[in-house]
């Protein structure tokens, strides 16, 4: 965890949140409802501050960054557990039930697990 992750610029942060609040404000139009004025105002504030690259967005940007890092620490292990127990474990159990040895680990008649490959061409000096 010694890696330094770079926080995005205030400009990018402002533009992203402008788009988010713009979508929030215009979403009710899909259902023939009135748009949300408060979200348009917040979107324009974020756009203005993002284009100016104001230092006012720095604390919000850092807070959003830390929230994302926290979510990454929580969600990643959960997703990996779902993948492992939902895909890898059932695949292993099915392979055991079908008595498949894909890695050929149960070969007792050989001195080595090395598999000799027969090729059709000899490419000794490739480069």
């Amino acid at each position: 965890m010694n890696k330094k992750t770079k926080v995005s610029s205030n400009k990018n942060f402002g533009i992203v949140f402008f788009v988010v609040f713009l979508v929030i404000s215009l979403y009710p139009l899909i259902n023939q409802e009135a748009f949300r004025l408060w979200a348009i105002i917040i979107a324009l504030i974020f756009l203005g501050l993002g284009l100016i690259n104001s230092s006012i967005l720095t604390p919000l940007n850092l807070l959003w960054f830390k929230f994302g890092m926290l979510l990454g620490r929580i969600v990643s292990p959960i997703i990996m557990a779902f993948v492992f127990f939902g895909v890898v474990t059932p695949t292993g159990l099915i392979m055991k039930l079908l008595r498949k040895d894909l890695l050929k680990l149960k070969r007792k008649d050989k001195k080595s697990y090395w598999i000799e490959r027969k090729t059709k061409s000899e490419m000794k000096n490739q480069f």
Side-chain angles (χ1 to χ4, degrees):
M1 286 287 156
N2 291 333
K3 294 180 184 177
K4 296 252 180 180
T5 306
K6 186 179 171 188
V7 180
S8 68
S9 69
N10 290 337
K11 181 178 180 180
N12 290 339
F13 176 75
I15 291 173
V16 165
F17 270 84
F18 162 72
V19 171
V20 167
F21 280 105
L22 187 65
V23 167
I24 289 171
S25 68
L26 299 177
Y27 182 75
L29 295 177
I30 294 174
N31 297 326
Q32 285 77 32
E33 297 175 11
F35 62 90
R36 296 180 178 126
L37 183 62
W38 62 269
I40 289 179
I41 293 170
I42 294 173
L44 292 175
I45 290 171
F46 272 109
L47 179 65
L49 292 176
L51 293 178
I52 296 171
N53 200 9
S54 174
S55 61
I56 296 172
L57 289 178
T58 302
L60 292 173
N61 194 2
L62 287 174
L63 186 67
W64 185 252
F65 175 76
K66 288 180 181 179
F67 177 67
M69 295 299 287
L70 176 68
L71 277 180
R73 286 186 179 173
I74 294 170
V75 173
S76 292
I78 293 170
I79 298 297
M80 292 304 292
F82 278 130
V83 168
F84 182 78
F85 292 114
V87 176
V88 176
T89 303
T91 303
L93 292 174
I94 291 170
M95 288 296 159
K96 280 206 180 269
L97 286 174
L98 297 175
R99 298 186 187 262
K100 296 285 182 179
D101 187 20
L102 298 178
L103 296 177
K104 296 182 177 43
L105 294 176
K106 296 184 181 180
R107 297 174 62 191
K108 301 200 185 230
D109 58 338
K110 302 277 185 170
K111 293 180 182 177
S112 173
Y113 289 106
W114 184 265
I115 299 171
E116 290 289 332
R117 302 281 181 200
K118 302 207 188 256
T119 60
K120 293 182 181 180
S121 65
E122 293 184 22
M123 300 176 66
K124 295 186 188 238
N125 297 322
Q126 296 179 30
F127 304 103

